[in-house]
Amino acid sequence: MDILKPIRIILLLMFIYGISQAQLSPGELSKPHAFLDGIENCNKCHGFDQKLSPDKCLACHIYLADRRKQGLGMHANSSYRNCEDCHVEHQGKDFELIFWKDGQEKFDHNLTRYILDGKHLSVKCRDCHQSKNISQDIVTKEPKKNFSTTFQGLGQECTTCHADEHRGQISAKCSTCHTTAGWKSPAKFDHASVKFKLTGKHITIACDKCHPLIVDNRSEKDKDYLKLTGIQSAKCLDCHKDVHNSKFGQNCEGCHDTDGWSNVARGQFDHSKTRFALLGAHSRVACEKCHTPGKPFKGLKYEKCQDCHRDYHKGQFASRLQAGACEECHTVDGYLPTRFSVAAHAETKYPLQGSHLAIACNACHQKELLTGNVETIKFKF
């Protein structure tokens, strides 16, 4: 009995199998498809005519099949229906499965129906296409896929790649306020769309002056964020200090507007709430005549008329009992007519008698120019 016969038969069968494999398989499959190696698996990708069947590819690539049905992405385009045009197999286990016609760096991303513009143009492919950014949908449908090499599975929402800087305070639709030109300037945000409309000087104020910075140390690169919601804004005093210490109530708008604190609304401010009520001719004087630009509104002297008005009489009445106080002769209704009566004149060194009683004051008390071209009326002779 030939004891080597079984061994020869086994070797012959192995030889025949090797030849058949070499004849039937054009080469080794790449690593992602290595589980399909073997003659018994050919029909899982190829039809009876040995051609690659896109339908059989999609039987495994369920996520891609669903996107095609929905008309999403590059593969939904009729020009990209034949898998082998871009994905060539049987070139060895380390062969790159994706064929980039003009190289990966020159790939036209518009074909994916996600247009790259702004700062996205300078981002490297793998900065976005990472396994951590892939949706759960593709993970569930194609669990065998190597998610570190695929370019599929990214959503088009900004939060696919970017962390929510606002911590869920507002809508996650970043494009409502931002553009791809950069995060720092929310170019599309219109403050008029919220409850607090910005007018006057509020327009030029930096956001963080009203929206405080909250530190939560979420990550090394992202330790804080701006508080956008829950900001009290019903009253001016929610942000501004009451410099009047509640003396005028809390309705700042009664006197001020957003163009600035010094821009006191004419006709609205009640000066009687101050220590100097405006009476007579004072009520018709423009605010800036007393409150001159650059001077504070408080701390102005007002006890004596001469705190604001010059002494037109140049000290002629300084020796009188009231030291020439204006109110001895004048009222707030105006300098003329005066309160200086005939009876008052009788107390001077020259009492008026007879025809003098009918003579107008300026017939005797006439204007004169002093040194420096200063005008006055001479009352003392």
Side-chain angles (χ1 to χ4, degrees), residues 63-83:
Y63 174 79
L64 187 58
D66 287 346
R67 286 180 63 80
R68 275 195 175 187
K69 289 178 183 178
Q70 298 173 53
L72 300 175
M74 183 182 75
H75 294 90
N77 190 314
S78 59
S79 300
Y80 294 91
R81 291 300 178 95
N82 294 320
C83 306

Side-chain angles (χ1 to χ4, degrees), residues 338-379:
T338 73
R339 296 167 60 185
F340 193 77
S341 63
V342 173
H345 211 291
E347 296 179 3
T348 68
K349 294 179 181 180
Y350 191 82
L352 297 180
Q353 297 176 352
S355 297
H356 285 161
L357 292 170
I359 296 175
C361 301
N362 59 5
C364 298
H365 301 285
Q366 298 180 353
K367 292 181 180 181
E368 66 176 4
L369 290 177
L370 303 178
T371 303
N373 205 32
V374 177
E375 182 185 276
T376 186
I377 295 177
K378 188 173 183 179
F379 284 96

Side-chain angles (χ1 to χ4, degrees), residues 245-266:
N245 296 318
S246 298
K247 185 175 183 179
F248 303 130
Q250 297 187 348
N251 182 27
C252 305
E253 300 95 321
C255 302
H256 305 281
D257 58 34
T258 57
D259 288 329
W261 292 115
S262 59
N263 187 31
V264 178
R266 297 179 185 276

Side-chain angles (χ1 to χ4, degrees), residues 159 162-178 183-186 189 207 211-214 216 218 222 224-229:
T159 50
H162 301 281
D164 178 10
E165 167 63 20
H166 304 306
R167 312 306 200 261
Q169 296 179 88
I170 55 177
S171 168
K173 190 177 181 181
C174 308
S175 58
T176 302
C177 303
H178 302 278
W183 293 112
K184 293 297 182 182
S185 178
F189 176 66
C207 303
H211 298 279
L213 201 63
I214 307 298
D216 64 353
R218 180 170 69 175
D222 188 12
D224 48 44
Y225 65 96
L226 287 182
K227 180 178 174 62
L228 299 181
T229 58

Side-chain angles (χ1 to χ4, degrees), residues 22 44 71 120 148 151 178 187 206 236 240 251 262 287 289 315 353:
K44 291 183 179 179
H120 286 161
S148 65
F151 286 91
H178 302 278
C236 301
H240 301 282
N251 182 27
S262 59
C287 305
K289 288 293 184 180
Q353 297 176 352

Side-chain angles (χ1 to χ4, degrees), residues 1-9:
M1 181 178 179
D2 188 357
I3 60 173
L4 297 177
K5 186 175 181 179
I7 297 175
R8 293 192 187 97
I9 293 173

